[in-house]
Each structure stands twice: as C-alpha cells, then as structure tokens.
Amino acid sequence: MDENKKLKEALKVLYEWTVRLCECSGHGIEYANNFWEKLKANTDILREYAYYYDNREFLCEFKVGRFTVADILVWQMDHFRAHLDRGDSVNRYDKDRLLLSTFETLIELKENPEYIMEQYAAETGIDLAEGWNIH
C-alpha cells in the first residue's frame, strides 16, 4: 500500500472515531464535521490527536508557549471540577466531551493565544486569588 493510500485510510479511521466521540458526547454530525475541518487545518494538532487515538496518551510535542495538550486537559479538568457540585453539568462524567473540549481549546489557543491564556490564568477552578503560576 503506498503512503498516500495509508494516509487516506488513517484519516478515514480518525474521522470515524471523531464522529463517534461527538455522538457519544451529545454532538451531531455538523459539530463533528466542523471539528474535523479545524483539526485538518492544524496538522500539528491533528498529529497530537492521532497519537492519542493510537496510544491513549498524549504526545505533547506541539506547544503554544509552554502549553501542551496535557496542560489544557488539566486546566479543563480543574475548570469542570468547579461545576461538579452543580447537578446540571453535562461534563460531569463525560470523558468524550472533555477530550473533544481539550483539543478544541488547543486549536483555539493556537489561533488566539492571548485570549485563551487570559482564561487559563483566570479560571483555575480552584480557590487561588492569584490563579495559576504562569511564567
């Protein structure tokens, strides 16, 4: 099988996994397609996503500033943890939604680092007035 055909097949598998993740987290096909297009437009993040699919762990090669996908996941978990006491939190037990949100936030961080870094510093999900220790 030539490299181009292998790549197309791998992308097809990733796309199908993306659709399943979106369905499991309550998102429809339109959401899945929009997310997929953003991933394809960001090949460095797509590589991180593919690595996660293959290994179920984060590669963490791609960084915006000092932030990797694992940093975003930890931030997302802390952010969502702040909502655990609320009964209406859709992310309370939804690991698929959390994973999608993590990769979406990484894409947003790449596209608009100032805004996301402000959010990252301000929304710790913990009771620290000074927020995260950002160097």
Side-chain angles (χ1 to χ4, degrees):
M1 183 182 296
D2 71 358
E3 291 300 312
N4 195 26
K5 191 170 184 176
K6 284 181 185 178
L7 178 60
K8 285 182 181 181
E9 186 60 33
L11 288 172
K12 179 183 176 198
V13 168
L14 275 178
Y15 171 74
E16 290 169 354
W17 182 61
T18 299
V19 170
R20 286 192 310 273
L21 274 176
C22 290
E23 288 172 349
C24 288
S25 63
H27 296 299
I29 191 70
E30 185 176 333
Y31 180 93
N33 287 334
N34 288 335
F35 177 69
W36 181 247
E37 291 303 315
K38 288 179 188 177
L39 273 175
K40 287 192 324 182
N42 291 279
T43 55
D44 39 13
I45 298 173
L46 179 60
R47 183 169 187 262
E48 295 275 341
Y49 187 76
Y51 185 88
Y52 182 84
Y53 173 79
D54 289 339
N55 300 285
R56 293 307 192 261
E57 62 183 44
F58 295 114
L59 178 61
C60 295
E61 277 187 1
F62 174 72
K63 294 180 180 181
V64 177
R66 67 177 180 91
F67 300 104
T68 67
V69 66
D71 295 313
I72 299 299
L73 176 66
V74 169
W75 174 54
Q76 294 283 4
M77 288 172 60
D78 283 341
H79 180 73
F80 293 138
R81 194 175 302 143
H83 294 278
L84 286 179
D85 291 333
R86 300 178 192 164
D88 63 343
S89 177
V90 295
N91 293 309
R92 187 172 185 160
Y93 303 108
D94 194 340
K95 63 181 171 55
D96 297 325
R97 185 180 289 262
L98 183 60
L99 183 65
L100 288 168
S101 179
T102 298
F103 278 98
E104 281 185 305
T105 301
L106 186 59
I107 292 168
E108 290 175 30
L109 178 62
K110 180 182 177 185
E111 294 172 353
N112 190 1
E114 296 82 20
Y115 175 74
I116 298 299
M117 286 184 188
E118 284 176 20
Q119 298 297 313
Y120 192 92
E123 296 178 9
T124 64
I126 54 178
D127 294 330
L128 291 176
E130 64 275 6
W132 287 104
N133 183 16
I134 296 180
H135 302 282

